Amino acid sequence: MKRSARRALCAAVITTAAVVLVPVVQASAATACAPAWAATQVYVKDNSASQNGHNYTAKWWTQNESPATHSGQWDVWIDNGACGGGTPPTTPPTTSPTTTPPTTTPTTSPTTNPPSGKNLVGYFAEWGIYGRNYHVKNIVTSGSASKLTHILYAFGNTTGGQCAIGDSYADYDKAYTAADSVDGVADTWDAGALRGNFGQLRKLKKLYPNIKVIWSFGGWTWSGGFTQAAANPTGFANSCYNLVKDSRWADVFDGIDIDWEYPNACGLSCDASGPAAYDKVISALRTKFGNNFLITSAISADGSNGGKLDVADYKSGIDKLNLVFPMTYDYFGAFAPQGPTAPHSPLTSYPGIPQQGFWSDAAIQKLKSKGVPANKMLLGIGFYGRGWTGVTQSAPGGTATGAAPGTYEAGIEDYKVLKGSCPATGTVGGTAYAKCGSNWWSYDTPATVGGKMDYVKQQGLGGAFFWEFSGDTSNGELISAIRNGLG
């Protein structure tokens, strides 16, 4: 909800209970009126407050919105001197006066991960805290935390060939209330306090010390900077080290992940840095971070001859990695709006598949043939479906008129929605599909996930990973299916 009106805050009481003031007035010789404190929903924050005589300006935003989207429209004016009544506070209260942090930790007690030797790695999307309203605490309340081995935090940026913060508000600034916090304790505005997702991940690790957190850089949108990184791998590695090891959050991260889409090939943009560039970047990171820090990478899962896995020297880079994540999903979808309909994450081929090599096993076997150890590779699972509309044929291979409607994006929908709105009607290539009216979707279910975990064990793979937490049900159906399947 946006508000554009300026409000003069000269009285000592604010009548709107949903507003809490984080003091923005700076101490001066003049007296001032002191703002009151109330429950936390809207935060007023000191963004280098501008002074005009005795007036001070600050920006405000709702708790679930990024301040970067508001362009300074919402101003709160505090008259420092017109009202009298003493000196305003210079630091916010450590907790909301209406909330007493619980003295006990959540009732869910941490358990150790099953001794299967298999990794279970999940992506946490930093932007999920906004429209999706998915927070680190949900990993706990869903029962998923005890099943994980690693969390990939997505994404850091690669702008200018340097590692950079993706969203500072989401990453380390958003203040969590006691109710929304992992440990039931509200964030503070004390100097040096770590808030945001980073602060919540720190709390999660205290409750579940077996979980390793890895900061992933790049992704589809932010891979463009890797071209410049490849031109100066040492400079890139130094910038990543300085950011990941920043003293404010160094204890949060156990590793760094490189999600370069795609070296010496095209993703959102095209890279022509050469076949050796990927290895050079990974080698520079390993040299800088040393052998005791986790370095991982999400890579193409194009198993076709002459495809993305063949145009870069992945094997040499993977030799320096702890784990590698071939992205065995998004093979087909409504980015081809007229179809043919096909499952986006087939495990194996099937008669009529639209493109050779576009299935998970093709990528795994290609990587094995290049000398990549099986136990370094994890199989990717999508916690979402891809779909078309205007479809008349129930089986794969039908024509379509465009992308099926989705909650957040046309052609994509979460598993937690599809399981109820469009239940699976068939399986093909080791995954599921469904036709509902004129819409056709493909996605994984607990049953097909179980089959894929059988494959992981048969192939001696290192485990499974998934994109991403918020697509699962509130009780973690798919994560449970992965863990149960891995043993």
Side-chain angles (χ1 to χ4, degrees):
M1 180 171 60
K2 293 188 177 181
R3 303 176 177 86
S4 58
R6 284 180 178 166
R7 302 185 180 185
L9 303 179
C10 217
V13 176
I14 299 171
T15 58
T16 303
V19 173
V20 58
L21 288 180
V22 176
V24 296
V25 268
Q26 299 172 351
S28 70
T31 58
C33 49
W37 302 94
T40 56
Q41 281 299 323
V42 176
Y43 293 87
V44 180
K45 187 182 176 185
D46 183 356
N47 277 1
S48 301
S50 58
Q51 181 175 354
N52 180 11
H54 292 303
N55 293 328
Y56 295 83
T57 304
K59 315 303 179 192
W60 67 338
W61 54 86
T62 63
Q63 186 176 6
N64 290 322
E65 293 182 289
S66 167
T69 64
H70 300 312
S71 305
Q73 297 179 52
W74 306 346
D75 293 340
V76 178
W77 292 78
I78 298 178
D79 188 340
N80 185 16
C83 303
T87 301
T90 56
T91 57
T94 56
T95 61
S96 168
T98 60
T99 303
T100 302
T103 56
T104 58
T105 56
T107 55
T108 302
S109 59
T111 59
T112 58
N113 293 301
S116 67
K118 301 295 186 184
N119 299 286
L120 202 172
V121 182
Y123 276 97
F124 182 92
E126 67 181 4
W127 59 89
I129 66 169
Y130 301 122
R132 288 179 167 271
N133 196 30
Y134 191 92
H135 307 276
V136 176
K137 181 178 179 179
N138 294 101
I139 301 174
V140 178
T141 58
S142 65
S144 300
S146 62
K147 301 175 176 70
L148 299 167
T149 59
H150 304 73
I151 292 172
L152 288 162
Y153 184 80
F155 287 107
N157 205 343
T158 61
T159 182
Q162 305 278 299
C163 279
I165 286 287
D167 177 348
S168 60
Y169 177 71
D171 290 346
Y172 59 83
D173 199 28
K174 173 182 167 61
Y176 275 88
T177 64
D180 293 334
S181 181
V182 166
D183 62 355
V185 178
D187 285 341
T188 78
W189 292 91
D190 295 346
L194 184 63
R195 296 179 294 277
N197 292 328
F198 290 0
Q200 293 298 301
L201 288 168
R202 174 186 283 168
K203 292 181 175 187
L204 180 71
K205 288 180 66 175
K206 287 182 179 178
L207 290 173
Y208 298 88
N210 288 340
I211 295 177
K212 305 298 183 184
V213 179
I214 302 169
W215 195 348
S216 183
F217 287 83
W220 179 256
T221 304
W222 285 340
S223 281
F226 283 121
T227 298
Q228 288 175 274
N232 183 8
T234 299
F236 174 70
N238 289 342
S239 74
C240 298
Y241 185 91
N242 292 337
L243 182 60
V244 175
K245 296 287 191 177
D246 188 297
S247 60
R248 291 171 290 177
W249 49 69
D251 62 314
V252 174
F253 296 106
D254 304 284
I256 183 173
D257 176 78
I258 298 302
D259 189 337
W260 184 353
E261 303 180 17
Y262 295 94
N264 208 36
C266 295
L268 183 61
S269 59
C270 290
D271 172 73
S273 52
Y278 177 77
D279 176 44
K280 289 178 180 178
V281 168
I282 298 298
S283 296
L285 290 167
R286 179 55 75 196
T287 297
K288 182 63 181 179
F289 281 93
N291 292 327
N292 295 324
F293 201 68
L294 295 175
I295 302 180
T296 66
S297 183
I299 64 170
S300 169
D302 179 353
S304 64
N305 292 328
K308 289 184 171 67
L309 286 178
D310 289 333
V311 298
D313 183 6
Y314 280 103
K315 198 273 179 181
S316 294
I318 292 170
D319 282 346
K320 289 94 174 174
L321 298 176
N322 297 96
L323 298 171
V324 63
F325 312 117
M327 295 178 284
T328 49
Y329 37 73
D330 295 340
Y331 284 110
F332 307 105
F335 37 80
Q338 278 72 53
T341 59
H344 82 86
S345 186
L347 176 62
T348 59
S349 185
Y350 62 90
I353 195 165
Q355 187 163 344
Q356 289 300 304
F358 272 36
W359 58 87
S360 304
D361 181 59
I364 298 299
Q365 300 309 323
K366 179 177 282 287
L367 288 165
K368 282 187 173 183
S369 73
K370 293 178 181 293
V372 175
N375 63 2
K376 275 193 179 184
M377 291 188 279
L378 276 65
L379 186 71
I381 307 291
F383 281 11
Y384 59 92
R386 285 190 174 272
W388 289 262
T389 194
V391 180
T392 59
Q393 178 176 310
S394 295
T399 59
T401 59
T407 303
Y408 304 102
E409 180 182 349
I412 299 178
E413 187 57 273
D414 291 345
Y415 166 75
K416 67 177 182 280
V417 174
L418 290 172
K419 66 166 291 192
S421 67
C422 194
T425 55
T427 58
V428 64
T431 189
Y433 65 88
K435 185 176 183 295
C436 305
S438 65
N439 295 332
W440 193 97
W441 293 94
S442 73
Y443 57 95
D444 273 310
T445 66
T448 64
V449 165
K452 288 186 172 183
M453 295 309 102
D454 288 341
Y455 170 86
V456 166
K457 291 184 289 188
Q458 291 163 7
Q459 294 292 319
L461 303 185
F465 74 99
F466 60 86
W467 179 276
E468 44 84 19
F469 281 103
S470 69
D472 205 355
T473 61
S474 60
N475 63 343
E477 279 184 22
L478 294 181
I479 293 174
S480 293
I482 295 174
R483 176 46 71 194
N484 291 339
L486 291 177

